[in-house]
Amino acid sequence: MPRLNDFPVSKHFRLWEFESKPTRSVRLSPDLVARLQRLRDLLSRPVIVLSGYRTPEHNARVGGVAGSFHMQGLAADVTWEGFEIDGAVQLAEQTGFDGIGRYPRKGFLHVDVRGYWARWEE
């Protein structure tokens, strides 16, 4: 069966990477994609999107906060080969993400384009 949403949204990202599982629905901010692409270019290695858009049901199922920016297509949880939390935060700040959440025990970084500065750690 062909993959839905299988088309590029930037040089290194395809729309299906941001789908809400299991519905395959997607909302995606062009600004989020542009910043993720800049992050990918800085790293010179693939950025893996662990979680992009979430429907309200998906967000509740994974324990996401009410009003999560994932539900607006403004956020992604990401990782990459050689991921190290402090370096990841520095790169995300250099790339211009507004919201940055550190999840060192889970091995990923939450990044978003909420429009105002926010930082937190699990």
Side-chain angles (χ1 to χ4, degrees):
M1 181 162 107
R3 182 182 286 269
L4 296 177
N5 299 318
D6 190 17
F7 57 88
V9 291
S10 75
K11 182 177 177 184
H12 292 101
F13 292 98
R14 300 188 74 78
L15 187 59
W16 65 263
E17 295 177 83
F18 298 91
E19 292 175 343
S20 184
K21 291 130 181 99
T23 65
R24 294 178 152 174
S25 57
V26 66
R27 291 178 69 183
L28 184 57
S29 162
D31 191 26
L32 178 67
V33 173
R35 292 181 198 199
L36 284 170
Q37 184 59 55
R38 280 191 295 240
L39 177 63
R40 192 325 185 164
D41 292 341
L42 282 171
L43 283 165
S44 297
R45 69 181 68 128
V47 171
I48 301 161
V49 178
L50 300 171
S51 182
Y53 172 66
R54 296 180 192 154
T55 62
E57 298 79 16
H58 179 191
N59 192 60
R61 197 170 42 257
V62 299
V65 299
S68 169
F69 289 99
H70 286 275
M71 295 187 299
Q72 298 173 48
L74 298 173
D77 297 337
V78 298
T79 192
W80 51 83
E81 185 181 322
F83 180 87
E84 185 274 315
I85 195 69
D86 292 328
V89 169
Q90 289 176 345
L91 286 169
E93 288 178 340
Q94 183 179 346
T95 306
F97 285 103
D98 303 322
I100 300 174
R102 299 165 51 108
Y103 293 83
R105 289 184 299 236
K106 296 178 181 174
F108 73 84
L109 191 69
H110 167 99
V111 292
D112 67 52
V113 292
R114 65 182 60 206
Y116 58 90
W117 191 90
R119 302 292 185 271
W120 68 95
E121 184 166 341
E122 74 170 334

